[in-house]
Amino acid sequence: MDVTAIIEPLNEAQREAVTAPSRPVLVLAGAGSGKTRVLVHRIAWLIRIEGISPQRLLAVTFTNKAAAEMRGRIESLLDFPTRQFWIGTFHGLSHRLLRTHAEAAGLPSSFQIMDSEDQLRLIRRLLRSLEIDESEWAPKEVQWFINAQKDEGLRSKHVDDQGNAGRRQLIDLYARYETVCADSGLVDFAELLLRATELLQQHSDLREHYQSRFMHILVDEFQDTNAIQYHWLKLLAGRSSVPFVVGDDDQSIYRWRGARVENLQSFQRDFSDPLVVRLEQNYRSTGTILDAANAVIANNSERLGKNLWTDGDAGDSIKLYAAFNERDEAEFVVNRIADFIASGMRRSEVAVLYRSNAQSRVFEEALLIAGLPYRVYGGMRFFERAEVKDALAYLRLIANRDDDPSFERIVNVPTRGIGARTVDVVRQTARAMGVSLWRAAAAVISEERITKRSATSLLAFLRLIEQLDEATRSMSLAEQVEHVIHASGLIDHHKNDKLAGESRVENLQELVSAAQGFVADEDSELPPLVEFLSYAVLESGDTQAEDYEDSVQLMTLHSAKGLEFPVVFVCGLEDGLFPHQRSASDAAGLEEERRLCYVGLTRARQQVFLTYAEQRRLYGRDHYGTPSRFLREVPQELLEEVRPALKVSRPVYRRPSIDKAEASGVRLGQRVRHGKFGEGVVLNSEGNGAHARVQVNFERAGTKWLVLAYASLELM
């Protein structure tokens, strides 16, 4: 393979990076600019042109999938296998180092790796052995604390308690956890990196060996590195190795899990005279999309700076839709998707992006009604999420004490000291007596078949269900759901989860919104709660498309990173939702939210739709928000408002006036109340006299056309 074959497919900036001299290189690779191509061709250049042995290269990425893709592309380009290459993830390569030098690392040769669930179980056992109630210290909170310290490169003895008693207790638990792991020969994921870093730090002979062995170290997605990963890289590189890192500070969106965008700036200080190459030519999106993304991200002050461009078409304008509420928003999105499909587009070529997992529920419902298959990418459907199923199990047990699956699911959720042995005794008693678990539990307690402590905990659970039933009998459906998620302890339980707790709490609160929007069958004699529970089961049935099926893609903006689609809808663009309310007063957090918006925009190849709602029922509450500040950062000449919006709240954009005839005194934008469908807003009208009809967007029932002569609408 000659020089031409390696560099011919590359543009000028890519060639500069691939053929760079033997010095530290920082490649700022914008979205869609071909960063993987640069990494692969750099490796080919080093091997074929510079004559570097494959064994002297180390290539690091973040996922096994990315590592496999890199291997495949290198094999295709070089036409020989990559078995000799050290290509893998940070954790995978650290594991390789530790297996090779287990004794020096202070590990038994047969050490075992724990996944996240194994680690959580170990922490639970540790808490039980110390007789610490999980309601006092949630295992997931302890797990999060331990992993966070390891990601910062800190052992328990190095962590400062900051004069805080609670933090002091966590440090003590970390120390005890370290002892248990050491005694058992167990290593968690975070430990792999920390132990490998300590190995290199403490053994100068090994450090020097690997520094001289790996002449070139190549790192992908460098903006996502955390403290320990960057330290690991610096130790391996030393003074002799040549680091070649590829990243994009404008796509750094994982601060919440330890990623440090500032590592890109630190690289320029820590490695002498680095060459900085900017990949700004985009091969994915239209000029209009790139102009919008550039304009938004330019508002971030702490960035290294680049400007995406394309030699392709400017493309269509960005479409902006102002919805009356979240149901109107979902209906608009689904109708537009149906239009694209009717024109020949595949369903999988369309993505609906949102900031919060809880937003998926309304889109799922609208897609089901429209008969469009969908997949929730990187997650579960709303009614299949564990925290939602827990809440539904409480509601089912309230409605029916003999619901055994619900009893088993929540008898110890949140943790209340009811162990597996106690549940086994209840289960055996139920079989022997031929009764439900609920009835068996009462018998087990009265007949003293379990310890007094277990009996007390089990009795507390039975009383809790009775109290929830009694307290909610006179409540509306939504009030029942809201009371249960709080009084059961589910909300407080998930608040203790530092990593995923916020999303789970939001999903529980969104279940209240689902109850508020639920319209029971007026001919049904069943209680609303029983009908709602049946609805939830049906909604969680076989509605999500199979992996092989062509389906609309639903996902959070975080999940969308690295993906691309011809058409993208970015939804929920309201201040407080996106950007998220917790980032409103945090400069660093707001910049990360803006990077998330940039990521969302640059997922699209041909068309972007931006939507916001003037009223949104989310997390069980009505919100009257203002359009996101990110919308104001998109140049107005790039936007096309897809329809004039009737304002319910204070306008931010000027709209053309609407010249429509009023029908029988009902105005466009008028709030009305219907006996069955509840409250809504008049969207449209047609006809006159007895045949006049109005289109009303109801908060609970969605959009309906009604004949005024029979609708009995009450003006509000």
Side-chain angles (χ1 to χ4, degrees):
M1 178 182 290
D2 60 13
V3 174
T4 304
I6 295 176
I7 66 171
E8 188 174 18
L10 308 177
N11 64 36
E12 185 177 344
Q14 291 171 338
R15 290 180 183 183
E16 182 184 4
V18 165
T19 63
S22 203
R23 59 186 276 201
V25 178
L26 169 59
V27 181
L28 291 175
S33 63
K35 66 179 180 61
T36 304
R37 169 181 283 187
V38 165
L39 276 167
V40 168
H41 283 254
R42 173 66 171 177
I43 290 171
W45 176 270
L46 291 172
I47 293 171
R48 292 301 196 195
I49 308 304
E50 300 288 344
I52 306 296
S53 166
Q55 295 180 335
R56 307 204 67 183
L57 302 178
L58 178 75
V60 193
T61 188
F62 272 82
T63 66
N64 290 320
K65 180 181 177 181
E69 180 187 356
M70 189 181 296
R71 283 182 178 276
R73 291 176 68 165
I74 291 170
E75 289 181 358
S76 176
L77 187 60
L78 295 179
D79 197 27
F80 66 76
T82 58
R83 288 191 300 271
Q84 301 177 68
F85 290 68
W86 277 57
I87 299 175
T89 64
F90 281 99
H91 292 97
L93 294 171
S94 294
H95 175 235
R96 187 169 177 176
L97 283 170
L98 294 177
R99 286 292 181 199
T100 306
H101 307 286
E103 184 177 355
L107 291 170
S109 58
S110 59
F111 72 85
Q112 298 296 310
I113 304 174
M114 296 183 289
D115 63 18
S116 181
E117 287 301 314
D118 292 334
Q119 183 189 28
L120 192 60
R121 280 192 287 270
L122 177 61
I123 290 170
R124 282 202 171 100
R125 289 200 300 271
L126 173 63
L127 292 174
R128 282 198 296 270
S129 71
L130 297 172
E131 298 185 346
I132 295 175
D133 193 331
E134 289 188 20
S135 62
E136 178 187 356
W137 286 108
K140 285 192 175 182
E141 182 177 3
V142 178
Q143 181 185 37
W144 176 87
F145 178 82
I146 290 171
N147 291 340
Q149 305 316 308
K150 290 188 177 186
D151 285 346
E152 292 296 317
L154 301 174
R155 292 289 180 193
S156 60
K157 62 185 178 183
H158 301 136
V159 183
D160 183 5
D161 64 19
Q162 300 172 1
N164 183 290
R167 188 173 172 85
R168 200 154 42 242
Q169 173 72 13
L170 286 168
I171 294 169
D172 179 63
L173 290 172
Y174 180 12
R176 292 174 184 271
Y177 170 83
E178 286 178 309
T179 300
V180 172
C181 288
D183 292 344
S184 307
L186 296 172
V187 174
D188 58 50
F189 267 37
E191 180 73 16
L192 287 171
L193 266 165
L194 178 55
R195 186 72 66 120
T197 301
E198 291 172 339
L199 173 71
L200 296 171
Q201 199 165 7
Q202 296 166 6
H203 296 272
S204 58
D205 55 335
L206 288 176
R207 183 172 67 251
E208 290 166 5
H209 165 74
Y210 283 107
Q211 286 174 351
S212 62
R213 173 175 180 168
F214 296 127
M215 289 180 61
H216 294 268
I217 300 176
L218 303 97
V219 184
D220 193 12
E221 303 286 8
F222 187 67
Q223 77 280 350
D224 294 335
T225 53
N226 60 25
I228 194 68
Q229 288 162 342
Y230 186 49
H231 189 36
W232 180 94
L233 169 65
K234 288 197 296 181
L235 283 170
L236 269 178
R239 295 182 178 180
S240 55
S241 297
V242 180
F244 183 97
V245 303
V246 182
D248 183 4
D249 55 334
D250 292 334
Q251 294 190 79
S252 179
I253 58 174
Y254 299 122
R255 186 174 69 124
W256 49 277
R257 68 185 190 197
R260 291 187 170 188
V261 65
E262 56 267 30
N263 284 348
L264 284 160
Q265 295 171 330
S266 298
F267 182 87
Q268 296 180 82
R269 295 193 302 268
D270 295 339
F271 293 94
S272 60
D273 192 28
L275 172 65
V276 178
V277 180
R278 287 172 169 80
L279 303 185
E280 298 174 303
Q281 184 173 0
N282 178 281
Y283 293 93
R284 176 189 301 157
S285 306
T286 66
T288 296
I289 293 171
L290 297 180
D291 288 345
N294 287 332
V296 170
I297 202 64
N299 290 276
N300 274 3
S301 58
E302 299 296 324
R303 61 189 292 258
L304 298 175
K306 62 185 174 306
N307 204 58
L308 296 180
W309 60 275
T310 178
D311 59 8
D313 296 336
D316 291 340
S317 59
I318 291 173
K319 304 299 189 290
L320 174 66
Y321 183 74
F324 291 102
N325 58 28
E326 75 282 359
R327 290 181 179 276
D328 181 29
E329 177 184 50
E331 186 173 288
F332 166 78
V333 169
V334 171
N335 286 341
R336 283 304 171 104
I337 291 173
D339 290 342
F340 281 117
I341 293 169
S343 69
M345 184 172 284
R346 290 173 55 82
R347 290 186 285 265
S348 57
E349 293 181 315
V350 182
V352 181
L353 313 183
Y354 37 80
R355 178 64 181 82
S356 166
N357 261 312
Q359 289 171 259
S360 79
R361 182 187 64 82
V362 182
F363 292 108
E364 290 182 58
E365 186 177 290
L367 287 162
L368 283 170
I369 292 170
L372 292 175
Y374 69 89
R375 285 197 62 77
V376 179
Y377 182 90
M380 292 183 173
R381 291 167 289 183
F382 180 79
F383 284 106
E384 285 189 341
R385 292 166 190 163
E387 60 276 11
V388 173
K389 293 179 77 171
D390 290 342
L392 292 172
Y394 270 99
L395 293 165
R396 287 196 178 95
L397 204 55
I398 289 170
N400 175 17
R401 301 295 194 279
D402 296 330
D403 186 332
D404 285 353
S406 294
F407 181 98
E408 283 202 79
R409 183 176 186 91
I410 60 170
V411 67
N412 199 41
V413 178
T415 306
R416 51 178 60 90
I418 301 173
R421 183 180 174 279
T422 298
V423 177
D424 280 341
V425 173
V426 173
R427 203 180 286 119
Q428 292 163 10
T429 302
R431 281 199 297 266
M433 295 175 63
V435 297
S436 67
L437 295 176
W438 177 273
R439 298 173 193 274
V444 164
I445 294 168
S446 63
E447 296 170 14
E448 299 181 352
R449 298 188 185 186
I450 53 179
T451 65
K452 186 175 181 180
R453 181 176 178 180
S454 296
T456 300
S457 298
L458 187 57
L459 181 60
F461 171 68
L462 300 183
R463 286 176 174 169
L464 171 63
I465 299 300
E466 295 287 3
Q467 290 164 1
L468 291 174
D469 185 8
E470 185 176 351
T472 58
R473 281 178 188 170
S474 60
M475 293 180 178
S476 69
L477 176 60
E479 289 170 336
Q480 284 180 300
V481 176
E482 183 158 30
H483 181 80
V484 166
I485 64 174
H486 285 279
S488 65
L490 287 174
I491 292 287
D492 289 338
H493 170 65
H494 289 297
K495 279 182 178 177
N496 289 328
D497 182 354
K498 294 292 192 299
L499 195 59
E502 182 178 50
S503 176
R504 288 175 177 152
V505 168
E506 288 175 349
N507 285 333
L508 287 172
Q509 293 169 333
E510 182 61 13
L511 186 62
V512 180
S513 292
Q516 287 171 330
F518 177 68
V519 180
D521 185 346
E522 61 183 7
D523 297 324
S524 174
E525 297 180 359
L526 294 173
L529 175 59
V530 176
E531 272 209 79
F532 178 69
L533 292 172
S534 298
Y535 157 78
V537 172
L538 293 172
E539 287 285 295
S540 64
D542 296 329
T543 53
Q544 185 162 224
E546 299 294 340
D547 290 337
Y548 57 81
E549 190 174 356
D550 182 30
S551 55
V552 177
Q553 304 296 298
L554 305 183
M555 66 192 74
T556 64
L557 284 147
H558 281 101
S559 298
K561 185 172 179 292
L563 303 176
E564 59 182 75
F565 306 89
V567 177
V568 167
F569 293 82
V570 182
C571 304
L573 277 154
E574 299 126 45
D575 275 348
L577 180 57
F578 187 32
H580 198 280
Q581 59 184 357
R582 68 166 177 264
S583 302
S585 58
D586 174 15
L590 185 58
E591 292 216 344
E592 179 148 319
E593 291 285 299
R594 189 173 281 111
R595 292 194 291 269
L596 199 55
C597 184
Y598 173 87
V599 166
L601 291 169
T602 55
R603 297 313 91 197
R605 296 204 293 266
Q606 300 167 10
Q607 183 70 72
V608 171
F609 286 81
L610 306 177
T611 69
Y612 69 93
E614 293 164 334
Q615 175 190 343
R616 183 179 297 278
R617 180 166 287 169
L618 189 64
Y619 316 142
R621 296 287 183 271
D622 284 331
H623 303 268
Y624 296 87
T626 57
S628 169
R629 67 196 69 190
F630 301 151
L631 288 176
R632 297 192 291 273
E633 293 170 359
V634 177
Q636 290 290 306
E637 63 271 16
L638 302 179
L639 292 171
E640 177 188 344
E641 300 179 42
V642 295
R643 73 161 176 81
L646 297 166
K647 305 308 290 184
V648 176
S649 56
R650 178 176 58 84
V652 174
Y653 296 95
R654 290 179 296 178
R655 310 285 185 185
S657 61
I658 301 167
D659 183 14
K660 273 268 189 186
E662 295 185 0
S664 301
V666 179
R667 306 185 316 274
L668 296 184
Q670 172 85 51
R671 289 191 66 81
V672 295
R673 182 184 290 114
H674 184 271
K676 177 180 178 181
F677 301 130
E679 296 180 11
V681 176
V682 177
L683 303 182
N684 204 347
S685 67
E686 64 179 28
N688 294 289
H691 300 289
R693 300 196 312 156
V694 289
Q695 184 186 38
V696 183
N697 187 28
F698 292 102
E699 294 173 1
R700 293 184 302 167
T703 303
K704 307 281 185 185
W705 276 99
L706 304 172
V707 178
L708 279 172
Y710 308 109
S712 300
L713 291 176
E714 177 187 347
L715 302 185
M716 298 177 62

